[in-house]
Amino acid sequence: MVRAQRDGAGPEALRAATGRTHEEWRALLTDAGALDWDHGRIAAHLVEEHGVDGWWAQGITVDFEQACQGRLPGQRADGTFAVSRTRTLPGERLDALATLVAAVAGEVGEPARSNLQARTPVVRWRLPDDSRLAATALAPTRSGTPVNLTWEKIPDAAAMAAATARLEAMLGRALAS
């Protein structure tokens, strides 16, 4: 299940980083008229008017949208949904990513594009239903390389559970290989 934004960073962490809690940011944004603003305008307001770091501004914006504008957990600003899962695979970064890519390609076909030289190497697929998959390899740890699969452009909340199950299956195949 996808968690609500408020269940991520706790109030102490948010206050330490931004000077306010979730409730205080919601009240401030409501008073500023943000109930009628889109995602980009809210985030820009937080950065430009309140000096909030961009990463925290995104989280505050999503929390506000979920609490005050009806945005559902897992829902993106464009109205579609996304799910993501991460597992640690053995091996170096590009080897772990190649293992994951092979597992995904076995189910959905060859990727549309990749950028293996990026700071976070990524491989992407466009699926026939217009949804998208992205596989990334994070910085290696002592136990291996965390790899992430994200399924984006899921049309509705009801389809998220099936997408999550498919991500888990693809990651399971990668772990087994």
Short mmCIF file of all heavy atoms in Angstrom, two decimals, residues 93-123:
data_model
loop_
_atom_site.label_atom_id
_atom_site.label_comp_id
_atom_site.label_asym_id
_atom_site.label_seq_id
_atom_site.Cartn_x
_atom_site.Cartn_y
_atom_site.Cartn_z
N ARG A 93 27.10 -1.79 -9.23
CA ARG A 93 25.94 -1.02 -9.67
C ARG A 93 25.40 -1.43 -11.04
O ARG A 93 24.23 -1.78 -11.19
CB ARG A 93 26.32 0.45 -9.67
CG ARG A 93 25.18 1.39 -9.71
CD ARG A 93 25.71 2.78 -9.59
NE ARG A 93 24.79 3.54 -8.77
CZ ARG A 93 24.97 4.78 -8.43
NH1 ARG A 93 26.04 5.41 -8.81
NH2 ARG A 93 24.09 5.41 -7.71
N LEU A 94 26.22 -1.37 -12.07
CA LEU A 94 25.73 -1.66 -13.43
C LEU A 94 25.41 -3.14 -13.62
O LEU A 94 24.51 -3.49 -14.37
CB LEU A 94 26.72 -1.16 -14.47
CG LEU A 94 26.85 0.36 -14.55
CD1 LEU A 94 27.85 0.77 -15.62
CD2 LEU A 94 25.51 1.05 -14.78
N ASP A 95 26.13 -4.01 -12.91
CA ASP A 95 25.82 -5.45 -12.98
C ASP A 95 24.45 -5.73 -12.35
O ASP A 95 23.65 -6.49 -12.90
CB ASP A 95 26.90 -6.27 -12.29
CG ASP A 95 28.23 -6.19 -13.00
OD1 ASP A 95 28.25 -5.95 -14.23
OD2 ASP A 95 29.26 -6.35 -12.32
N ALA A 96 24.19 -5.11 -11.19
CA ALA A 96 22.90 -5.29 -10.53
C ALA A 96 21.77 -4.74 -11.40
O ALA A 96 20.71 -5.37 -11.54
CB ALA A 96 22.91 -4.61 -9.17
N LEU A 97 22.00 -3.59 -12.01
CA LEU A 97 20.99 -3.01 -12.89
C LEU A 97 20.74 -3.91 -14.09
O LEU A 97 19.60 -4.13 -14.49
CB LEU A 97 21.40 -1.60 -13.34
CG LEU A 97 20.38 -0.85 -14.19
CD1 LEU A 97 19.04 -0.69 -13.46
CD2 LEU A 97 20.93 0.52 -14.58
N ALA A 98 21.80 -4.48 -14.66
CA ALA A 98 21.64 -5.39 -15.80
C ALA A 98 20.82 -6.62 -15.43
O ALA A 98 19.99 -7.10 -16.22
CB ALA A 98 23.01 -5.80 -16.34
N THR A 99 21.02 -7.13 -14.22
CA THR A 99 20.23 -8.27 -13.75
C THR A 99 18.76 -7.89 -13.67
O THR A 99 17.88 -8.65 -14.10
CB THR A 99 20.74 -8.74 -12.37
OG1 THR A 99 22.10 -9.15 -12.51
CG2 THR A 99 19.91 -9.87 -11.81
N LEU A 100 18.47 -6.72 -13.13
CA LEU A 100 17.09 -6.27 -13.03
C LEU A 100 16.49 -6.03 -14.41
O LEU A 100 15.36 -6.44 -14.68
CB LEU A 100 17.00 -4.99 -12.19
CG LEU A 100 15.60 -4.40 -12.02
CD1 LEU A 100 14.65 -5.41 -11.39
CD2 LEU A 100 15.68 -3.12 -11.19
N VAL A 101 17.24 -5.40 -15.29
CA VAL A 101 16.76 -5.13 -16.65
C VAL A 101 16.39 -6.44 -17.36
O VAL A 101 15.36 -6.52 -18.02
CB VAL A 101 17.79 -4.31 -17.45
CG1 VAL A 101 17.44 -4.27 -18.93
CG2 VAL A 101 17.87 -2.89 -16.89
N ALA A 102 17.21 -7.45 -17.19
CA ALA A 102 16.92 -8.74 -17.83
C ALA A 102 15.61 -9.32 -17.29
O ALA A 102 14.79 -9.85 -18.06
CB ALA A 102 18.07 -9.71 -17.59
N ALA A 103 15.38 -9.21 -15.98
CA ALA A 103 14.14 -9.73 -15.39
C ALA A 103 12.93 -8.96 -15.89
O ALA A 103 11.89 -9.55 -16.19
CB ALA A 103 14.22 -9.66 -13.87
N VAL A 104 13.06 -7.65 -16.01
CA VAL A 104 11.94 -6.83 -16.48
C VAL A 104 11.69 -7.08 -17.97
O VAL A 104 10.55 -7.26 -18.40
CB VAL A 104 12.19 -5.34 -16.20
CG1 VAL A 104 11.11 -4.47 -16.82
CG2 VAL A 104 12.29 -5.09 -14.70
N ALA A 105 12.77 -7.10 -18.76
CA ALA A 105 12.64 -7.29 -20.21
C ALA A 105 12.00 -8.64 -20.53
O ALA A 105 11.25 -8.76 -21.51
CB ALA A 105 14.00 -7.16 -20.88
N GLY A 106 12.25 -9.64 -19.69
CA GLY A 106 11.62 -10.94 -19.89
C GLY A 106 10.11 -10.88 -19.80
O GLY A 106 9.42 -11.71 -20.38
N GLU A 107 9.59 -9.90 -19.10
CA GLU A 107 8.14 -9.77 -18.96
C GLU A 107 7.54 -8.71 -19.88
O GLU A 107 6.48 -8.91 -20.45
CB GLU A 107 7.77 -9.41 -17.52
CG GLU A 107 6.28 -9.27 -17.35
CD GLU A 107 5.84 -9.12 -15.91
OE1 GLU A 107 6.57 -9.56 -15.01
OE2 GLU A 107 4.75 -8.56 -15.71
N VAL A 108 8.22 -7.56 -20.06
CA VAL A 108 7.59 -6.45 -20.79
C VAL A 108 8.30 -6.08 -22.08
O VAL A 108 7.85 -5.20 -22.78
CB VAL A 108 7.45 -5.19 -19.90
CG1 VAL A 108 6.61 -5.49 -18.67
CG2 VAL A 108 8.79 -4.62 -19.52
N GLY A 109 9.41 -6.75 -22.40
CA GLY A 109 10.12 -6.45 -23.64
C GLY A 109 11.32 -5.55 -23.40
O GLY A 109 11.64 -5.16 -22.28
N GLU A 110 11.97 -5.22 -24.48
CA GLU A 110 13.20 -4.42 -24.41
C GLU A 110 12.91 -2.97 -24.00
O GLU A 110 11.86 -2.43 -24.33
CB GLU A 110 13.92 -4.45 -25.76
CG GLU A 110 14.47 -5.83 -26.10
CD GLU A 110 15.44 -6.36 -25.05
OE1 GLU A 110 16.35 -5.62 -24.64
OE2 GLU A 110 15.27 -7.52 -24.63
N PRO A 111 13.84 -2.37 -23.30
CA PRO A 111 13.64 -0.98 -22.87
C PRO A 111 13.62 0.00 -24.03
O PRO A 111 14.16 -0.26 -25.11
CB PRO A 111 14.83 -0.70 -21.96
CG PRO A 111 15.79 -1.82 -22.12
CD PRO A 111 15.10 -2.93 -22.84
N ALA A 112 12.99 1.13 -23.79
CA ALA A 112 12.92 2.20 -24.79
C ALA A 112 14.20 3.03 -24.80
O ALA A 112 14.65 3.47 -25.85
CB ALA A 112 11.72 3.11 -24.52
N ARG A 113 14.79 3.24 -23.61
CA ARG A 113 16.02 4.02 -23.54
C ARG A 113 16.71 3.79 -22.20
O ARG A 113 16.12 3.28 -21.26
CB ARG A 113 15.77 5.50 -23.78
CG ARG A 113 14.92 6.19 -22.73
CD ARG A 113 14.67 7.65 -23.15
NE ARG A 113 14.16 8.43 -22.07
CZ ARG A 113 12.90 8.55 -21.75
NH1 ARG A 113 11.99 7.93 -22.45
NH2 ARG A 113 12.53 9.30 -20.73
N SER A 114 17.95 4.22 -22.15
CA SER A 114 18.71 4.08 -20.90
C SER A 114 19.75 5.19 -20.82
O SER A 114 20.14 5.78 -21.83
CB SER A 114 19.39 2.72 -20.82
OG SER A 114 20.34 2.59 -21.84
N ASN A 115 20.18 5.46 -19.61
CA ASN A 115 21.29 6.37 -19.36
C ASN A 115 22.13 5.73 -18.26
O ASN A 115 21.86 5.90 -17.07
CB ASN A 115 20.80 7.76 -18.94
CG ASN A 115 21.95 8.73 -18.77
OD1 ASN A 115 23.12 8.35 -18.77
ND2 ASN A 115 21.63 10.00 -18.62
N LEU A 116 23.12 4.99 -18.68
CA LEU A 116 23.97 4.25 -17.74
C LEU A 116 25.11 5.10 -17.21
O LEU A 116 25.80 4.70 -16.28
CB LEU A 116 24.50 2.99 -18.40
CG LEU A 116 23.42 2.02 -18.90
CD1 LEU A 116 24.06 0.79 -19.55
CD2 LEU A 116 22.47 1.63 -17.80
N GLN A 117 25.32 6.28 -17.78
CA GLN A 117 26.37 7.17 -17.31
C GLN A 117 25.87 8.20 -16.29
O GLN A 117 26.66 8.96 -15.73
CB GLN A 117 27.04 7.92 -18.48
CG GLN A 117 27.93 7.04 -19.34
CD GLN A 117 27.14 6.07 -20.21
OE1 GLN A 117 26.14 6.44 -20.81
NE2 GLN A 117 27.57 4.83 -20.26
N ALA A 118 24.58 8.22 -16.05
CA ALA A 118 24.01 9.19 -15.11
C ALA A 118 24.49 8.90 -13.69
O ALA A 118 24.93 7.79 -13.39
CB ALA A 118 22.49 9.12 -15.15
N ARG A 119 24.40 9.90 -12.84
CA ARG A 119 24.77 9.71 -11.44
C ARG A 119 23.96 8.55 -10.84
O ARG A 119 24.47 7.77 -10.04
CB ARG A 119 24.53 10.99 -10.66
CG ARG A 119 25.13 10.95 -9.26
CD ARG A 119 25.00 12.26 -8.57
NE ARG A 119 23.70 12.28 -7.92
CZ ARG A 119 23.09 13.35 -7.49
NH1 ARG A 119 23.62 14.53 -7.65
NH2 ARG A 119 21.92 13.28 -6.90
N THR A 120 22.71 8.46 -11.20
CA THR A 120 21.88 7.31 -10.86
C THR A 120 21.48 6.65 -12.18
O THR A 120 20.55 7.13 -12.85
CB THR A 120 20.63 7.74 -10.06
OG1 THR A 120 21.04 8.43 -8.89
CG2 THR A 120 19.79 6.55 -9.67
N PRO A 121 22.18 5.59 -12.57
CA PRO A 121 21.87 4.94 -13.85
C PRO A 121 20.41 4.51 -13.93
O PRO A 121 19.86 4.02 -12.94
CB PRO A 121 22.81 3.73 -13.87
CG PRO A 121 23.92 4.09 -12.93
CD PRO A 121 23.28 4.93 -11.87
N VAL A 122 19.81 4.71 -15.10
CA VAL A 122 18.38 4.43 -15.26
C VAL A 122 18.12 3.77 -16.61
O VAL A 122 18.78 4.08 -17.61
CB VAL A 122 17.54 5.73 -15.11
CG1 VAL A 122 17.91 6.75 -16.16
CG2 VAL A 122 16.05 5.43 -15.11
N VAL A 123 17.14 2.87 -16.63
CA VAL A 123 16.66 2.22 -17.84
C VAL A 123 15.14 2.38 -17.82
O VAL A 123 14.50 2.18 -16.79
CB VAL A 123 17.05 0.73 -17.89
CG1 VAL A 123 16.50 0.07 -19.13
CG2 VAL A 123 18.57 0.58 -17.82
#
